[in-house]
Amino acid sequence: IRIAIHESIDQHNFDVFHKLVEAFNFNIEEDFLYLLFVAATSGSTEIIDFLLTKYPHKLDNVFDQNAESSVNIDGICSIAAKNGQFESIEIIFNFLIKKLSQIKSDSKDSHSIRTKRLKFSHTLAEAAKSGSIQICDFLLKNGATLEPESIKDIIADLSMKGMTDIIKLLFTSFTDTMKNQLAEKFIITAIDSHKIDIALLFVELC
């Protein structure tokens, strides 16, 4: 029955999903993360909304710095980004923003509460490599950042693919020092690879 439920999610069939859960008394709580993963990566937004609305507590430890095992929500969203599922990421991200706001408002001293910052680094990286400007733009506007140690490899990959729009977008989030360092490095690489348009792009960006 678990496979049938997963298939109904993959096919975006909420009615079948709901009937299977009800008929077989399926324990969603035990399988919540995988159900969310299947829904997010397939773009089954109605089921994502159902899971987050019905079982919001399942993501309570996302922001907890002291949690022994935190939910890898960035990992789930990174696969969704690779599949170009913007709406999935938008729903999950907005849900988490509201949850963080609620955590702070429920705290007696909101200034002293320490919560884990969601950088969505892997999600941003996958969105960039997949060429999804919409997802990249959304994440950057909401404070997502790339892991510093991964930036050079990502820019190198984008340069080889000629994904100039994504490079320009990512550069808006970098410091001036980082922009200059990256541009200087990749101007030379682009010229050596006979990618003059890419070389000129980095001249423009530095």
Side-chain angles (χ1 to χ4, degrees), residues 72 86 92 108 175 192-193:
N72 185 10
F86 169 70
I92 293 171
K108 293 180 181 179
T175 63
D192 288 342
S193 302

Side-chain angles (χ1 to χ4, degrees), residues 119-135:
K119 296 187 291 183
F120 275 73
S121 302
H122 292 98
T123 304
L124 179 56
E126 288 299 335
K129 289 186 286 186
S130 300
S132 178
I133 291 180
Q134 186 180 30
I135 296 175

Side-chain angles (χ1 to χ4, degrees), residues 42-191:
S42 66
S44 192
T45 54
E46 189 174 8
I47 295 176
I48 294 172
D49 189 61
F50 168 80
L51 292 171
L52 296 179
T53 302
K54 192 84 171 177
Y55 306 92
H57 60 282
K58 294 298 293 183
L59 296 182
D60 280 351
N61 72 344
V62 167
F63 297 102
D64 189 356
Q65 290 189 331
N66 301 314
E68 292 184 6
S69 59
S70 181
V71 175
N72 185 10
I73 200 70
D74 187 21
I76 291 174
C77 287
S78 69
I79 305 300
K82 189 174 183 179
N83 294 346
Q85 301 295 352
F86 169 70
E87 290 185 1
S88 295
I89 294 168
E90 184 180 37
I91 292 171
I92 293 171
F93 194 97
N94 289 336
F95 168 82
L96 292 173
I97 293 300
K98 288 180 183 178
K99 178 173 275 292
L100 178 59
S101 178
Q102 187 64 48
I103 289 172
K104 290 183 175 180
S105 66
D106 289 346
S107 174
K108 293 180 181 179
D109 185 1
S110 61
H111 294 291
S112 65
I113 186 171
R114 296 185 64 195
T115 55
K116 187 181 296 181
R117 180 169 173 255
L118 293 180
K119 296 187 291 183
F120 275 73
S121 302
H122 292 98
T123 304
L124 179 56
E126 288 299 335
K129 289 186 286 186
S130 300
S132 178
I133 291 180
Q134 186 180 30
I135 296 175
C136 287
D137 187 52
F138 173 79
L139 291 172
L140 289 170
K141 284 178 178 176
N142 284 281
T145 57
L146 293 171
E147 293 290 352
E149 62 271 17
S150 71
I151 291 175
K152 287 184 180 178
D153 287 342
I154 291 170
I155 297 299
D157 182 65
L158 297 176
S159 298
M160 290 298 295
K161 295 175 180 175
M163 300 170 76
T164 56
D165 289 342
I166 299 290
I167 293 172
K168 287 179 183 178
L169 190 58
L170 291 179
F171 260 65
T172 63
S173 68
F174 299 155
T175 63
D176 288 341
T177 300
M178 185 180 294
K179 288 177 184 177
N180 290 334
Q181 290 175 346
L182 289 169
E184 288 174 11
K185 172 182 173 58
F186 288 107
I187 285 171
I188 297 171
T189 304
I191 292 173

